[in-house]
Each structure stands twice: as structure tokens, then as C-alpha cells.
Amino acid sequence: MAQAAPAPGGMSRPGRTPQITARESEGRTRPPDVFDARTHRIAHIAVPVVLGLVYGYWVAADARQGGAITGGNLLLGWISALVFAVVTIALLTLAPRMPRELHALLWTAFTGIAFGFLYIQTGHSVWRSTLMSLVVAGSTFAVFFYRYYTREDAFGHRVR
């Protein structure tokens, strides 16, 4: 039979009332960083480069549409990867310094343009690509604006 163990200072000591003390907290404490500053600096460059390579491969694969791999196809993939990585690094560096509305708008524009360029490589019409990228950009703006609006004050400082 399973029984709960008596709590210290509980009913097992009749006549004594347990004293409950409140923990003093100085606000929320930040969890410790698992990685050091050097690792964060490397990841600040390495993650956008890897994402750029994946994006460039995806663009090149969509553009060739199952055909033979050509020099132009490789060039398109490498240039797409380079542009994607450079713009991502620039956004990661500059966007947090912007007001929350502009911060969300920058990421929205980047996401919409990147998706639209990727989608047009599949052979769909310009109108369909534009509509799809506007839908993706609109949903991105809603999510990012909500995130920044609920986690930053009007001056862009993170609320803890």
C-alpha cells in the first residue's frame, strides 16, 4: 500500500504550527549560458552560412526541375547561398537595434522575398508566387510582431 510520507513540520507534530516563509526573489533570473562567448560568436556566423547553403541547394534543385546539373544551375545555387547568408548575418546584427515594428518588418521582408524567390523557381506564375510570398510574409509579420510586442518595451529593451 502506497502512502504519502509525512511532511516536515506538518500534522505529525501536533501543537506546532509550521512557519511558512516567502522566498525573496530579485525578479527573474537568467538561466546560465551553456556555451561561452566564443561559441556564440562562431554560431553567429556558422548558422547563417549553413542555412544559406541549404537555401542555395534548394534553389538550385528547384530551378533545374529534375534536369541535368549545369554550370548556370550551380552558379545560381552558390549566389543564392551567398546572398541568403550575408543578408541573414546583417539582419541578425542590425535588426535587434531597430524598434519592434521595424524589427518585425525587416524579418517579414526577408522571409517573403526568400520564399518568393524560392517559389518562383518551381515554375509557377509570377502572380501565384507573389500571392504565396505575401501570405507567408503576412503570417511572419503577425508572429514576429506579436513576439516582439510582448517581449519588448516601446524602446526595444527586452522585458524580463
Side-chain angles (χ1 to χ4, degrees), residues 117-149:
F117 183 70
L118 185 63
Y119 196 78
I120 196 102
Q121 300 301 318
T122 60
H124 290 289
S125 69
V126 173
W127 293 109
R128 183 169 176 175
S129 299
T130 302
L131 181 65
M132 293 297 288
S133 64
L134 285 175
V135 168
V136 169
S139 59
T140 302
F141 180 75
V143 169
F144 279 14
F145 182 77
Y146 176 77
R147 181 182 185 274
Y148 299 138
Y149 191 79

Side-chain angles (χ1 to χ4, degrees), residues 27-153:
R28 293 175 122 180
T29 60
R30 185 174 177 191
D33 280 336
V34 177
F35 302 111
D36 61 352
R38 179 177 174 266
T39 307
H40 282 284
R41 281 193 309 272
I42 291 170
H44 188 75
I45 302 296
V47 169
V49 168
V50 169
L51 288 175
L53 289 172
V54 169
Y55 182 80
Y57 172 75
W58 200 350
V59 167
D62 279 350
R64 79 182 164 94
Q65 297 178 353
I69 297 174
T70 63
N73 186 257
L74 290 174
L75 184 65
L76 175 67
W78 284 109
I79 290 176
S80 299
L82 178 69
V83 169
F84 188 92
V86 167
V87 173
T88 304
I89 291 169
L91 277 175
L92 287 173
T93 304
L94 298 176
R97 299 180 184 147
M98 303 294 173
R100 60 185 174 209
E101 295 85 6
L102 187 58
H103 191 173
L105 198 60
L106 287 172
W107 280 108
T108 297
F110 174 67
T111 305
I113 292 168
F115 180 82
F117 183 70
L118 185 63
Y119 196 78
I120 196 102
Q121 300 301 318
T122 60
H124 290 289
S125 69
V126 173
W127 293 109
R128 183 169 176 175
S129 299
T130 302
L131 181 65
M132 293 297 288
S133 64
L134 285 175
V135 168
V136 169
S139 59
T140 302
F141 180 75
V143 169
F144 279 14
F145 182 77
Y146 176 77
R147 181 182 185 274
Y148 299 138
Y149 191 79
T150 57
R151 289 177 172 77
E152 294 179 356
D153 62 5

